[in-house]
Amino acid sequence: DGGITQSPKYLFRKEGQNVTLSCEQNLNHDAMYWYRQDPGQGLRLIYYSQIVNDFQKGDIAEGYSVSREKKESFPLTVTSAQKNPTAFYLCASSTLDRGYYGYTFGSGTRLTVV
Amino acid sequence: SQQGEEDPQALSIQEGENATMNCSYKTSINNLQWYRQNSGRGLVHLILIRSNEREKHSGRLRVTLDTSKKSSSLLITASRAADTASYFCATDLSGGGADGLTFGKGTHLIIQP
C-alpha cells in the first residue's frame, strides 16, 4: 500500500542537540511538506519542497533545516538554534499534477526536549 | 498568521445528531479543504472544494463555500462515536497546494454515545 512514513514516533532530545526526523513516501508525489503542531493549535508550515534538490522556507523555518536528495525522502533536522522544539511534527506529501486532491499526512513524530 | 479560523473551538453532541463546523478566512483562495485528526495522529483529508463550487458532498459530509463571505461550513450528518476528532479547515491560495496549505486551529468534536 502506498503511504507516507514518519519515524521515529517519539523522540527525546537533550538541550543543545540536533535531531533528525525521517519522512519517506512511496506515493510518487512531487511535493513534500513539514508542519509543526503545538497543543490546541493549528499546523504551521516549516519547510516545503516541490522538486528534488530544491526547497523553500515556510512560516517558521528558523532553527530547522531540510534536504531533498531523493523524491521519496524529506528529512527535517531540528537544530540547537530552535528555542522551543517540543512539539508534534507532521510530514505531508501531494501530487502537483491535475489529479491533486489534497495532502497525505504521516502519523507524526512527537519531539520532547529533556 | 492563521488564514482559517474554525468555529466553534469545541463541540459536544449526542450520537445521531448533526454536527456543523464553520471556517472563516481572510484572503482569496483557489480551494479550501477539510481534514480530520484523531488524537495523537496525523491528519486525514476529507474533502476539497474549489472556489467556483458552492457545495460538495461525500458520504455523510456536506461542505459549503461562500466566497463572498469568505467562509465555509462542514456538516456531518447522523454522527457516530467514531467521528470524535479535531477538524481543520485549510486554505490553498495558489491551487495544487504547492506553496503549502494554511490551517486553522481546529474544532474539537466530541460525540457522546
Side-chain angles (χ1 to χ4, degrees), chain B residues 23-106:
Chain B
C23 171
S24 59
Y25 57 92
K26 297 174 183 175
T27 61
S28 295
I29 59 171
N30 177 281
N31 66 80
L32 184 144
Q33 302 170 34
W34 286 90
Y35 289 80
R36 183 187 74 231
Q37 183 181 34
N38 291 92
S39 181
R41 307 284 295 176
L43 277 70
V44 175
H45 181 264
L46 296 176
I47 200 164
L48 180 155
I49 187 165
R50 302 190 188 281
S51 59
N52 61 352
E53 298 175 312
R54 293 295 168 258
E55 187 171 313
K56 208 161 183 180
H57 296 256
S58 176
R60 293 184 296 113
L61 305 181
R62 171 178 169 253
V63 168
T64 62
L65 179 65
D66 187 335
T67 53
S68 66
K69 295 181 179 178
K70 291 186 171 57
S71 67
S72 174
S73 67
L74 170 67
L75 169 66
I76 304 174
T77 61
S79 63
R80 305 167 182 169
D83 295 328
T84 293
S86 291
Y87 292 81
F88 295 88
C89 67
T91 51
D92 182 352
L93 305 186
S94 60
D99 296 323
L101 302 179
T102 303
F103 288 82
K105 294 184 179 180

Side-chain angles (χ1 to χ4, degrees), chain A residues 9 31 33 35 37 40-45 48 50 88 90 94-96 98 100-108 110, chain B residues 1-2 31 33 35 37 40-45 48 50 88 92 95-106:
Chain A
K9 190 176 176 76
Y33 313 84
Y35 284 88
Q37 185 177 31
Q41 300 294 313
L43 281 66
R44 290 183 291 168
L45 183 62
Y48 62 101
Q50 300 173 4
F88 190 48
L90 288 158
S94 71
T95 182
L96 293 178
R98 295 182 65 184
Y100 172 71
Y101 57 84
Y103 288 5
T104 301
F105 279 85
S107 56
R110 190 166 299 279
Chain B
S1 62
Q2 303 287 145
N31 66 80
Q33 302 170 34
Y35 289 80
Q37 183 181 34
R41 307 284 295 176
L43 277 70
V44 175
H45 181 264
L48 180 155
R50 302 190 188 281
F88 295 88
D92 182 352
D99 296 323
L101 302 179
T102 303
F103 288 82
K105 294 184 179 180

